[in-house]
Amino acid sequence: MNLVVLSGYLTQDVEIKTTQNGKAVANFQMGVSDPYDEETTFARCVVWGESAKNLGKYLKKGSFLEVTGKMKNKSYEKDGQKRYYTEIQCNHIEYGPKKGRAE
């Protein structure tokens, strides 16, 4: 099963684009801290449609969010060299104040 559940904070403002077909797509990166060590993992994420529009409208750098989705390996070419990365394709997103913490 390919299921990813992450909670963390946006590391930059959400980037919204519209496809030629008029569908909204949001690309964003979130930082996820491990409670057992002091290391933060950064995850590239993408979401489509109405959820993408809402992210751009309501969230900004530093906002807390929880995402559920699947991992997808992607690639692109730069300077004649193929590069690979992993992206989280989100199908459910919750955002707002972190539970148990007043903001």
Side-chain angles (χ1 to χ4, degrees), residues 15-85:
E15 178 186 335
I16 307 278
K17 293 182 180 178
T18 305
T19 66
Q20 292 178 347
N21 297 341
K23 194 167 186 177
V25 58
N27 292 288
F28 59 97
Q29 181 172 284
M30 58 188 293
V32 181
S33 297
D34 185 336
Y36 300 105
D37 64 28
E38 296 180 16
E39 192 170 301
T40 300
T41 301
F42 297 95
R44 290 184 184 193
C45 303
V46 64
V47 65
W48 294 83
E50 200 63 34
S51 293
K53 292 178 187 176
N54 287 335
L55 281 183
K57 186 174 181 181
Y58 297 113
L59 300 183
K60 62 183 185 340
K61 179 180 178 179
S63 297
F64 178 79
L65 69 160
E66 295 176 335
V67 302
T68 304
K70 64 181 181 177
M71 279 194 317
K72 184 80 172 180
N73 291 322
K74 311 272 288 203
S75 66
Y76 65 95
E77 203 165 305
K78 183 176 181 180
D79 300 327
Q81 187 175 25
K82 197 163 192 173
R83 299 177 186 237
Y84 298 90
Y85 64 97

